[in-house]
Structures are given as structure tokens and as C-alpha cells.
Amino acid sequence: MKVSYLHISNYKQFSDLELDLTYPKGHPKAGEPLDKICIIGQSGTGKTNLLEIINCSTSDHQYLDYHLGEYSYTEYGHIQIDYKLINNQSAQIKFHPPSEPTGIELVEDEEIYFLSTEKKETERTWINLKDKINNYAKERLEYVDTLSNKLLSIDNYEKKDFLKEIKSWEDKNSNILEQISDKLNEILVKFNLKLTKLDKNALRYTKLEFEDLSNGRIVGYNQVSTGTKNLIATFISLKDYNPKDSIILIDEPEMSFYPNIQRQLTDLYMGVGENNQLIMATHSPLIASSFEPWEVVELKFDNHNQIYREKYYEGENHVDNYTLDPRMLTWTGILTDVFDMTEDSNFSFREKKLMEYATLKAEIKAIDDISQKEEKFKELKKISKILGLNN
């Protein structure tokens, strides 16, 4: 299941917002729902509300609080969401807040996952995961016992046969702990950590242990950074559910992550499960830079303080008509062209420093005393380094 279209009118801060969430003309997947979507926009444009609206639209989820509050209108709101289901059929839901939607009846494994790092959610996920780990260990032990009996009772059954059958069983049965450890460690190395040990009797994440790669010491869960804890909570939750043909909603995935980690989050979450649609709401230029231009939903206020989607193309919605691509921009370019920073740097501070640099350079030319000139030149080099100048 994937969202292909969304229309909201007279609900919360949305007066009339229409979103086409399909690939543009000229794309190999033209007309199909986007595999991943990045929602950006200044505070108050409703990024999180969009995630919540999608989350509430199926029959398997609790509905939103439809009290209109400060965004009340004279008429009821209107929301329409179009989906493409895994059976290649289309589904549409329409409802009028504050009345509740009837919800889409999902097909087979279709689901919507709104990731949360709240303590109750992560502890519940961990208990579910612990059950899966314990079941794997129990089933493996029972199978090994069966094979051991064969080894003792059957003359032509040899050790190589024993090992071959164990390997075959392990290939067919997923060891979720190993899968999580391997994938997590690809990212945790950026934190200078490696997941090393799990207490199978633990009821919470707090019993996880890590190796500090800088000194080889073992550190506990409570000793690692907030960013590491967030990564563990969200990634393990997804790996536990192993979603298929589903929608994954993540609000502010960049929380507490250093830039080099933020750049990898999109690929990390896209790699979980099978044939899912990933929708992120973010303030991070680094995360936005990993999306194709048609995958970015930039929300803005117009001159009448109404919210609209900024278009990155001219004319019809065709891949050849896009004039902005976040993947091709420098970090400064992303801030100015996508996140609408009005200046390409801390201009007022830089301008003062450049004036200081130019003045000092002129002074050096006018000084005849060698020792005094050398002192001034040291100061000039220091300012040059701060400004990022080559000379």
C-alpha cells in the first residue's frame, strides 16, 4: 500500500492543500506512487499533521483528535487520500473532520507504522523482539537435540551431515538478533561503537552492551549517546515488525544525530522490510539532499498565509522540467534554494571579518619594520584560516 494523492481542505492549518505523490512523466515509474517522500517546511506548515492524517486513515489505527481548535472554520473540513494497494487496485478514503473516517480495510500484510521513541513504545517493542529471539533459540536447540540423537543412533549419519543440516535450518530460519546486529553495526561504527552482547533474559534495551572501538571497553546502553538510543529504538522497532507493502512514517528522524549519520538514515530505513513507502518529515537539509526533486514536498506560506506546495518544475510535471535537484546542490545551496535561507552564510559576521582582513592586509603593506610586519602577517593568516581563504 502506498499513498498516491492527498487533498486537505478546511482542516487545521490547511485551507486547500493538494499533493500529487506519484512519479512525474518521463520517469520509468511515471504515475506510480513514490517509494519515498520527504516533507519539509518551516514550523507551522503542518508537516507532522500530514503524517498523522495518513496514520489515522486505516481501520487498524486510532483516529486523530478532530477538534479543530484555533484552526476552526465555518464548515467541516474535507480530507481525501488515494492509495494503491498491493493487489494493484486503488482505494480512496474521504472524510469530513470532526467526523471520523470509516478507514480503509487493508489487504494481507499492509500496515502503517508511525515510529515512536517514547519509552512505553520501545519497551513494548523490545518485549516482542525478546520473544522472537527466545523462540529462535528454543527451536534451534530442539532441532540440534533431534540431530544429535540421529548422530548417536544412525550409523551412516556423520558429523558432516549433522553440520550440514544445522546450516540448512539456520538458512531457512531468520536469526533476527544477528540481522539487527549486523545492520546496526554498519551505522554504530560512526558512533565509534559496536553492538556486542545481548542478555537474552533482558526485558528492555538497557541490557544491550557495546564495545567502545577507541579503547576496547564495554559500555552499557545507559552510557551511550541520545542519538545512539534513538537509532536503536527506531531501527529495532522496524526490524521487529519487518514491514511489507506498508507505509513507514517517521517524524524528525534527524533528532540527536550528527550530520554524517543523518545522510545515511534514508537508505537505512528504506532497507528494512520489502516494498514499503517511506515518508519522513524533517528539518534536516542533509536528509532532504538524499531525495529526488519529485520526492520532496516543501510546504510554504503564501502572501495570504495559506499553505501550499512549492513546485520545483516549470510547465508540466515532467522529469525534464525540474529546475532544482537537492542531490546536486552544495550544503550552502540546499540551505538557500531548498530551505530558503536568505543569505549564503553568516553574512554580517563574515563581512566584518573580511573588512578586518582587508584593512590588516593594507596595514602590512605600509609597515617597514620587519618584526612588526611578521607579527601582523601571523594575525592575517589566522583571520584567513577562519574565513577559509587560501592566501
Side-chain angles (χ1 to χ4, degrees):
M1 178 179 66
K2 295 179 181 179
V3 181
S4 60
Y5 173 83
L6 179 62
H7 182 211
I8 311 170
S9 60
N10 295 333
Y11 178 65
K12 292 198 172 180
Q13 62 266 73
F14 303 112
S15 175
D16 188 17
L17 179 67
E18 189 172 6
L19 300 177
D20 178 358
L21 301 175
T22 61
Y23 288 99
K25 293 179 180 179
H27 193 282
K29 295 183 178 181
E32 294 293 314
L34 296 166
D35 293 329
K36 63 182 190 294
I37 299 166
C38 178
I39 304 172
I40 63 173
Q42 66 187 85
S43 298
T45 52
K47 298 182 295 297
T48 301
N49 281 332
L50 284 181
L51 299 185
E52 291 177 339
I53 287 169
I54 295 170
N55 185 47
C56 83
S57 61
T58 70
S59 57
D60 291 348
H61 281 78
Q62 292 184 352
Y63 302 123
L64 294 177
D65 178 4
Y66 290 108
H67 179 63
L68 299 181
E70 61 181 300
Y71 300 109
S72 60
Y73 293 88
T74 55
E75 58 180 309
Y76 275 17
H78 169 80
I79 294 175
Q80 174 184 328
I81 308 176
D82 292 355
Y83 293 95
K84 185 168 184 181
L85 305 179
I86 59 175
N87 56 13
N88 228 17
Q89 294 181 348
S90 296
Q92 184 180 88
I93 182 170
K94 293 182 180 180
F95 55 100
H96 302 275
S99 64
E100 295 181 349
T102 56
I104 291 178
E105 294 295 334
L106 301 180
V107 178
E108 296 180 7
D109 295 329
E110 292 178 339
E111 184 63 278
I112 292 181
Y113 300 92
F114 199 154
L115 261 63
S116 169
T117 55
E118 294 181 1
K119 185 177 180 181
K120 288 182 180 179
E121 174 67 17
T122 55
E123 289 187 359
R124 183 186 68 80
T125 301
W126 184 251
I127 291 172
N128 291 342
L129 181 63
K130 177 182 176 293
D131 289 340
K132 291 183 180 181
I133 293 170
N134 287 344
N135 288 339
Y136 174 88
K138 180 182 178 182
E139 290 173 8
R140 186 183 184 280
L141 181 61
E142 290 174 351
Y143 190 70
V144 169
D145 285 344
T146 300
L147 295 183
S148 297
N149 290 331
K150 286 177 65 176
L151 190 62
L152 294 173
S153 60
I154 301 176
D155 293 336
N156 60 349
Y157 186 78
E158 300 178 357
K159 183 178 180 181
K160 63 179 182 179
D161 301 313
F162 173 85
L163 296 175
K164 183 179 179 180
E165 289 200 56
I166 290 179
K167 178 68 167 55
S168 177
W169 185 92
E170 290 176 341
D171 290 340
K172 294 176 183 178
N173 295 270
S174 175
N175 185 341
I176 192 170
L177 181 57
E178 285 187 2
Q179 292 179 3
I180 290 172
S181 298
D182 292 344
K183 201 66 180 178
L184 266 179
N185 281 331
E186 292 177 13
I187 301 295
L188 287 177
V189 68
K190 302 294 183 180
F191 294 84
N192 215 30
L193 293 171
K194 179 181 179 181
L195 180 61
T196 59
K197 182 183 177 182
L198 167 70
D199 181 349
K200 67 179 183 179
N201 296 315
L203 294 178
R204 295 176 178 84
Y205 293 97
T206 52
K207 297 301 181 181
L208 288 172
E209 289 187 356
F210 306 84
E211 178 187 353
D212 185 332
L213 298 178
S214 65
N215 54 31
R217 294 178 181 173
I218 301 300
V219 296
Y221 176 82
N222 290 326
Q223 296 173 279
V224 302
S225 68
T226 302
T228 306
K229 292 175 183 175
N230 285 347
L231 177 67
I232 291 168
T234 55
F235 182 75
I236 288 182
S237 296
L238 275 182
K239 200 66 180 177
D240 174 37
Y241 291 123
N242 195 30
K244 178 182 178 182
D245 303 309
S246 302
I247 298 172
I248 300 170
L249 307 170
I250 308 180
D251 194 16
E252 297 188 5
E254 69 273 15
M255 291 294 288
S256 301
F257 289 126
Y258 203 65
N260 67 331
I261 304 298
Q262 291 183 30
R263 293 187 65 187
Q264 300 179 61
L265 292 178
T266 303
D267 288 340
L268 179 70
Y269 292 127
M270 284 295 290
V272 176
E274 181 183 344
N275 192 36
N276 299 305
Q277 184 181 50
L278 175 67
I279 306 178
M280 292 179 167
T282 182
H283 292 281
S284 169
L286 295 161
I287 290 177
S289 71
S290 64
F291 287 79
E292 296 176 299
W294 38 84
E295 296 172 332
V296 177
V297 174
E298 181 181 357
L299 302 178
K300 284 187 171 183
F301 290 107
D302 64 17
N303 294 332
H304 302 288
N305 295 318
Q306 302 302 313
I307 297 168
Y308 71 99
R309 179 183 183 177
E310 178 80 350
K311 291 183 178 179
Y312 291 169
Y313 60 90
E314 297 176 353
E316 71 168 338
N317 188 9
H318 191 285
V319 291
D320 294 337
N321 294 336
Y322 277 77
T323 59
L324 187 151
D325 189 335
R327 300 168 302 167
M328 306 299 172
L329 298 174
T330 63
W331 302 133
T332 299
I334 291 171
L335 288 171
T336 56
D337 297 348
V338 179
F339 284 79
D340 298 323
M341 294 288 287
T342 56
E343 297 168 343
D344 65 357
S345 62
N346 295 319
F347 184 75
S348 59
F349 297 101
R350 183 175 176 83
E351 186 178 36
K352 290 177 183 178
K353 210 66 179 176
L354 283 168
M355 288 297 296
E356 183 181 344
Y357 176 84
T359 302
L360 187 57
K361 197 170 184 179
E363 287 180 6
I364 291 173
K365 289 182 179 180
I367 295 174
D368 294 326
D369 184 273
I370 298 299
S371 60
Q372 189 177 359
K373 187 185 284 279
E374 288 177 350
E375 288 298 316
K376 290 287 184 181
F377 188 72
K378 289 179 182 178
E379 188 177 347
L380 184 73
K381 286 184 67 176
K382 184 178 179 180
I383 296 174
S384 176
K385 186 174 181 179
I386 292 172
L387 290 169
L389 304 175
N390 293 324
N391 58 335

